[in-house]
């Protein structure tokens, strides 16, 4: 068992496995509050006698809260530190998810949902910082665990909430059971702290070597701006698909059950994508080529739905699923295209907060276009254009170099080699 000289945290095989388990459990906690609601939304509507605007607000909350709270995550991290920040994130999720299942008023239900989403939003931004700082030499492994677990945290609640609610004959059980995951994450995180295996971020790696990290605002970096646009455009794709793909298939004349199967195919893409996309980015395996192929695949999927939706419908779903590899790739870019952990934190906050603004707007735009045009042609052409732009920004975001280098002052650029940590495009 060793102690890192740079960050003063204990390491070792057992502690590394515990840290990896913490990443997996926290990442699995960052989606269920959102993905478990849809399967029992009808029951929630009936229980609280919701108006249409109230239902619409509940479904729009994830993107809105992720965007708003993402901006405060870095100041929150600086003030509380890594351990207390993620502790607070997990605690908010536990309280929000666990308590909302037992309340009787809609306002309290919505407020507790916001509480859980706020915790998820903080975790979205801060967990990549832990990934980067705790596994500096094995970031690819930790990033893969992070992205795969995010996919699992989205998929399992979406699939299992309704069966659990049906088995117990109570929708509240179907929602409340997902508080178990962040509870386990909370316990594991505390144990990891007691084992003194969580990095202290009082000093970054650069400061430990006598260099001062860049202080210019993150949007000065072109790479960070392209990453934010890429993240936002892929988020538009994801949220539109989750909300509208089954209806697109049903409006084309496909059986509702089969339409649900098509959405299952689309969402399942997050699992292999979570394994493969971080490896592509972190190991530099033709990253720009693959980022463009994700966009091309999404374009083909939308064109199939537009032109021949009932001909080989599973093929269009598979194309959209491969296009969904863009999400874990976008997350991997945050750690793969930054060096200093303070820059990772700032980039994560900027990319995700900006991106989720688009994620909140995209489904509303598609709904508006559908209402104005009276059919799916205009909305699907809109999504083709979104996917093309996703390919362009992905190509630019995946270029060699790091955000750190673009933020560096002229003095830092002239510093001896090794002072800034090197490039991410290996």
């Amino acid at each position: 068992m060793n102690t890192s000289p740079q960050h003063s945290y204990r390491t070792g095989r057992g502690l590394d496995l515990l840290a990896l388990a913490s990443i997996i459990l926290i990442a699995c906690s960052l989606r269920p509050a959102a993905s478990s609601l849809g399967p029992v939304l009808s029951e929630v509507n009936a229980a609280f006698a919701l108006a249409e605007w109230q239902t619409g607000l509940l479904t729009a909350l994830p993107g809105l809260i992720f965007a708003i709270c993402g901006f405060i995550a870095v100041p929150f991290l600086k003030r509380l530190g890594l351990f207390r920040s993620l502790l607070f994130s997990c605690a908010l999720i536990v309280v929000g998810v666990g308590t909302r299942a037992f309340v009787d008023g809609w306002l309290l239900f919505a407020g507790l949902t916001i509480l859980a989403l706020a915790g998820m939003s903080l975790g979205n931004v801060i967990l990549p910082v832990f990934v980067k700082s705790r596994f500096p030499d094995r970031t690819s492994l930790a990033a893969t665990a992070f992205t795969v677990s995010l996919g699992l945290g989205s998929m399992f609640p979406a699939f299992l909430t309704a069966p659990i609610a049906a088995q117990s004959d109570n929708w509240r059980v179907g929602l409340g059971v997902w508080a178990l995951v962040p509870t386990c994450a909370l316990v594991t995180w505390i144990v990891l702290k007691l084992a003194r295996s969580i990095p202290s971020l009082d000093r970054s790696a650069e400061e430990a070597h006598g260099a001062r990290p860049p202080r210019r605002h993150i949007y000065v970096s072109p790479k960070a701006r392209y990453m934010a646009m890429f993240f936002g455009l892929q988020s538009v794709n994801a949220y539109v698909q989750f909300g509208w793909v089954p209806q697109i298939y049903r409006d084309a004349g496909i059986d509702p059950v089969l339409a649900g199967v098509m959405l299952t195919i689309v969402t399942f893409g997050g699992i292999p994508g979570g394994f493969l996309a971080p490896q592509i980015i972190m190991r530099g395996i033709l990253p720009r080529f693959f980022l463009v192929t994700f966009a091309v695949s999404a374009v083909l999927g939308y064109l199939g739905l537009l032109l021949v939706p009932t001909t080989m419908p599973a093929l269009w779903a598979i194309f959209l699923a491969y296009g969904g590899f863009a999400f874990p790739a976008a997350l991997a870019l945050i750690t793969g295209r930054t060096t200093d952990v303070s820059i990772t934190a700032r980039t994560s906050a900027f990319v995700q907060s900006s991106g989720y603004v688009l994620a909140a707007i995209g489904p509303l735009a598609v709904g508006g276009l559908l209402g104005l045009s009276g059919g799916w042609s205009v909305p699907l052409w809109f999504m083709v254009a979104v996917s093309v732009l996703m390919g362009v920004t992905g190509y630019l975001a995946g270029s060699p170099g790091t955000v750190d280098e673009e933020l560096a002052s002229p003095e830092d650029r002239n510093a001896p080699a090794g002072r800034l940590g090197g490039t991410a495009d290996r």
Side-chain angles (χ1 to χ4, degrees), residues 227-241 302 323-331 355-356 358-359 383 386 390 393:
M227 287 164 62
M229 288 186 281
F230 177 68
F231 187 92
L233 292 166
Q234 68 79 26
S235 295
V236 171
N237 265 323
Y239 277 71
V240 166
Q241 289 165 17
Y302 289 124
F325 284 27
F327 173 63
L331 291 176
Y356 280 121
L358 286 176
M383 293 310 300
V386 166
M390 184 179 81
T393 55

Side-chain angles (χ1 to χ4, degrees), residues 4 30 58 92-93 114 117 155 171-172 184 187 228 232 341 380:
S4 166
L30 300 181
L58 282 178
L92 287 180
I93 300 170
I114 291 172
L117 291 171
M155 186 179 70
W171 63 267
R172 296 179 184 275
C184 292
V187 171
V341 292
L380 286 172

Side-chain angles (χ1 to χ4, degrees), residues 203-213 412 415 418-419:
R203 298 188 307 159
S204 69
E206 277 72 19
E207 288 174 305
H209 285 90
R212 184 170 60 89
D412 289 328
R419 200 173 164 192

Side-chain angles (χ1 to χ4, degrees), residues 300-342:
L300 293 175
Y302 289 124
L303 288 176
L305 291 176
L306 175 67
L307 302 175
V308 281
T310 58
T311 302
M312 297 184 295
L315 180 61
W316 316 134
I318 291 170
F319 278 135
L320 293 178
Y322 181 71
F325 284 27
F327 173 63
L331 291 176
L333 281 171
I334 294 173
T335 51
R337 292 298 186 269
T338 57
T339 303
D340 180 78
V341 292
S342 68

Side-chain angles (χ1 to χ4, degrees), residues 147-153 155-156 267-276 325 328:
T147 55
V148 170
S149 300
L150 276 177
L152 293 173
M155 186 179 70
F156 280 116
T267 56
F268 182 76
I271 305 305
F275 279 106
L276 297 175
F325 284 27

Side-chain angles (χ1 to χ4, degrees), residues 29-383:
S29 305
L30 300 181
R31 292 297 180 269
S35 59
S36 64
L37 183 58
V40 292
L41 190 57
S42 296
E43 288 81 358
V44 172
N45 284 343
F48 296 120
L50 299 184
E52 287 186 5
W53 71 267
Q54 292 171 309
T55 304
L57 178 61
L58 282 178
T59 57
L61 279 176
L64 293 172
I65 301 302
F66 285 177
I68 294 169
C69 291
F71 284 111
I72 67 171
V74 171
F76 194 81
L77 173 63
K78 289 179 178 178
R79 185 172 184 83
L80 295 184
L82 186 55
F83 168 70
R84 286 188 292 174
S85 295
L86 283 177
L87 183 77
F88 190 69
S89 168
C90 291
L92 287 180
I93 300 170
V94 171
V95 173
V97 174
T99 309
R100 73 174 180 177
F102 300 101
V103 300
D104 293 324
W106 177 78
L107 281 178
L108 192 53
F109 182 89
L112 288 166
T113 298
I114 291 172
L115 195 70
L117 291 171
M120 289 160 52
S121 177
L122 294 174
N124 283 336
V125 174
I126 297 171
L127 189 56
V129 179
F130 178 62
V131 168
K132 184 78 174 180
S133 59
R134 181 57 179 78
F135 293 95
D137 300 322
R138 289 175 288 173
T139 307
S140 178
L141 170 66
T144 299
F146 171 46
T147 55
V148 170
S149 300
L150 276 177
L152 293 173
S154 295
M155 186 179 70
F156 280 116
F159 291 163
L160 297 178
T161 298
I164 292 172
Q167 184 68 27
S168 62
D169 197 27
N170 191 334
W171 63 267
R172 296 179 184 275
V173 175
L175 285 183
V177 71
W178 299 108
L180 293 174
V181 180
T183 300
C184 292
L186 196 61
V187 171
T188 307
W189 186 242
I190 292 172
V191 172
L192 194 66
K193 174 63 174 179
L194 294 175
R196 294 188 288 122
S197 192
I198 297 175
S200 170
L201 301 183
D202 293 337
R203 298 188 307 159
S204 69
E206 277 72 19
E207 288 174 305
H209 285 90
R212 184 170 60 89
R215 293 298 176 191
R216 294 197 296 168
H217 196 284
I218 203 72
Y219 62 67
V220 173
S221 163
K223 186 176 293 296
R225 295 198 299 269
Y226 293 136
M227 287 164 62
M229 288 186 281
F230 177 68
F231 187 92
L233 292 166
Q234 68 79 26
S235 295
V236 171
N237 265 323
Y239 277 71
V240 166
Q241 289 165 17
F242 294 157
W244 291 111
V245 159
Q247 194 62 47
I248 294 172
Y249 277 111
R250 291 182 66 174
D251 288 348
I254 288 178
D255 178 83
V257 174
L258 184 58
V261 171
M262 295 302 104
L263 179 60
T264 301
I265 293 173
V266 173
T267 56
F268 182 76
I271 305 305
F275 279 106
L276 297 175
Q279 301 299 321
I280 290 168
I281 300 300
M282 304 303 294
R283 298 179 184 275
I285 306 171
L286 300 175
R288 285 181 287 182
F289 168 78
F290 280 104
L291 290 171
V292 171
T293 66
F294 301 154
V296 171
S297 185
V299 168
L300 293 175
Y302 289 124
L303 288 176
L305 291 176
L306 175 67
L307 302 175
V308 281
T310 58
T311 302
M312 297 184 295
L315 180 61
W316 316 134
I318 291 170
F319 278 135
L320 293 178
Y322 181 71
F325 284 27
F327 173 63
L331 291 176
L333 281 171
I334 294 173
T335 51
R337 292 298 186 269
T338 57
T339 303
D340 180 78
V341 292
S342 68
I343 303 301
T344 302
R346 293 164 61 195
T347 303
S348 181
F350 173 69
V351 167
Q352 295 196 54
S353 298
S354 304
Y356 280 121
V357 171
L358 286 176
I361 294 172
L364 296 176
V366 168
L369 291 172
L370 177 63
L372 289 173
S373 65
W376 283 108
S377 293
V378 173
L380 286 172
W381 278 118
F382 171 75
M383 293 310 300

